[in-house]
Amino acid sequence: MVLTLTKSQKEMVQSYGRSFLGAALALYMAGSTDVYTYVYALVAAFAPVAIRFFNKNDIAFGKISGKSTSEEVAAEVVKSVKEFTKN
């Protein structure tokens, strides 16, 4: 059995990897040698990716992900810019 991932799933795995790498590098540079601390970093790195996954308005993984047309993406970008400039 071969595991095949969609483009979006591959991007989420890459995002998770970047989060973990950043957390592990910060621990290493701080001088941490406790293995359990790195396990906690592995778990904590899951949080940002999970938040993006469950946010249906997220451009990368949410409502207008890779399945959206260019018109839908452009409309969402324009909408976001207008909302940002109001504040």
Side-chain angles (χ1 to χ4, degrees), residues 2-80:
V2 177
L3 178 67
T4 57
L5 299 174
T6 66
K7 182 180 178 195
S8 179
Q9 290 170 331
K10 287 178 186 176
E11 290 171 353
M12 285 194 303
V13 169
Q14 290 172 346
S15 180
Y16 176 73
R18 286 189 299 270
S19 294
F20 174 67
L21 181 62
L25 185 61
L27 288 171
Y28 177 77
M29 292 175 73
S32 176
T33 57
D34 182 24
V35 175
Y36 288 107
T37 306
Y38 287 89
V39 172
Y40 295 145
L42 184 71
V43 173
F46 180 72
V49 180
I51 290 169
R52 291 190 76 188
F53 176 76
F54 290 112
N55 180 5
K56 296 303 176 193
N57 292 322
D58 188 280
I59 291 176
F61 304 129
K63 184 171 63 176
I64 57 167
S65 62
K67 299 174 189 162
S68 302
T69 65
S70 57
E71 291 82 13
E72 291 172 331
V73 172
E76 286 295 322
V77 170
V78 169
K79 179 182 166 187
S80 297

